[in-house]
Amino acid sequence: MAGKDAFVRGGRAVAWRLVHRLWRAAGQAGRITADTPAGRSFASFGSCSVIGFPTGALYGEPWIAIGSGTMIAAQVSLSAGMVPGQDLGDWPPVLRIGDRCVIGRGSHIVAHYSIVIGDDVFTGPYVYITDQNHGYTDPDVPIGRQWPSNTAVSIGPGSWLGAGVIVLPGAVIGGNVVVAAGSVVRGEIPDRSVVAGVPAKIVREYVPGSGWKPPPPADEKAPVSVDPS
C-alpha cells in the first residue's frame, strides 16, 4: 500500500512539473512582440515591447499604437472601436500607449474616441481606462440601448496608477501624478500631484522649494495683494 501511495505521489509530481514546464513554454511562445503576426496587426508596435500571454480581449489593433520598451502584462484587454471587427477606415490610432510603459495584469483599456497614455506611465493590476459613457437621457429606453458619449482621455508621462484605479471619460491626468489604488479619476489632475478617493481628490502636491505638501484648505483664500501706491 505504501508503495502504491509513493507511486501515485511520484506520478503527480511528474505531471505537475510537466504542466508547469508546458505552461512556461506556452507563455514564452504566446507573447506578442513587434515581429509576431499579432504584433504586425497593430498600427505600430515598438521594438522591445511585449504583450504577455495569455492575452485578454484584443480588437481594433489597426487603430492601436504601442511605443518602444513597453510591457503589457498577461490578461490585459485593449480595444479600439465599438465592436470587434469594426473598420474605422482612415482614422488615426484611437489608443496610443507611449514608450517604456508598464500596464498591470488584468487591466482594461477601452478606447472609442481617443485615449493617449504618455511615456513611462506605470499601472498596477486591474486598472480600467475608458473614454466612453453610456447615455441615460431617455428614462424609458434601456441604458444599454441609448447612444453613448465619448470624451478624450490623456495620462501624462511619468505617472503611476495604483491597483484597481478607474479613469473615466474626459480625465486629463498630468505628468508625474500618483493615483492611489482604488481611486476613480475624472476631470483634470495637475502635474506632480497625488490623488486618492472616489472621486479622486488632491492629497499632496509638489511645491517648488518646499517639496510635497498637502493642498491648502478649500476655504483658504489667496492673499490679496495691495498696491502701495
Side-chain angles (χ1 to χ4, degrees), residues 6-17:
F7 178 79
V8 170
R9 287 195 300 272
R12 287 175 177 169
V14 170
W16 183 90
R17 293 189 183 95

Side-chain angles (χ1 to χ4, degrees), residues 15 32 54 67 91 96 117-118 122 135 137 150 161 177 182 188 204 224:
I32 298 174
W91 277 27
R96 295 180 181 271
I117 298 174
F122 284 37
T137 304
N150 302 322
L161 281 61
V177 169
E188 187 168 348
R204 290 283 188 278
V224 178

Side-chain angles (χ1 to χ4, degrees), residues 116-141:
V116 177
I117 298 174
D119 297 337
D120 302 296
V121 170
F122 284 37
T123 86
Y126 306 108
V127 167
Y128 183 77
I129 304 169
T130 185
D131 60 2
Q132 184 175 92
N133 269 328
H134 290 289
Y136 55 90
T137 304
D138 191 332
D140 298 320
V141 175

Side-chain angles (χ1 to χ4, degrees), residues 41 43 78 101 107 117 152 180 193 200 210 215:
S41 69
L78 305 175
C101 293
S107 294
I117 298 174
S193 57
S210 299

Side-chain angles (χ1 to χ4, degrees), residues 165-189:
V165 164
I166 297 174
V167 179
L168 296 177
V172 178
I173 299 174
N176 277 42
V177 169
V178 175
V179 183
S183 299
V184 176
V185 182
R186 62 182 186 184
E188 187 168 348
I189 306 297

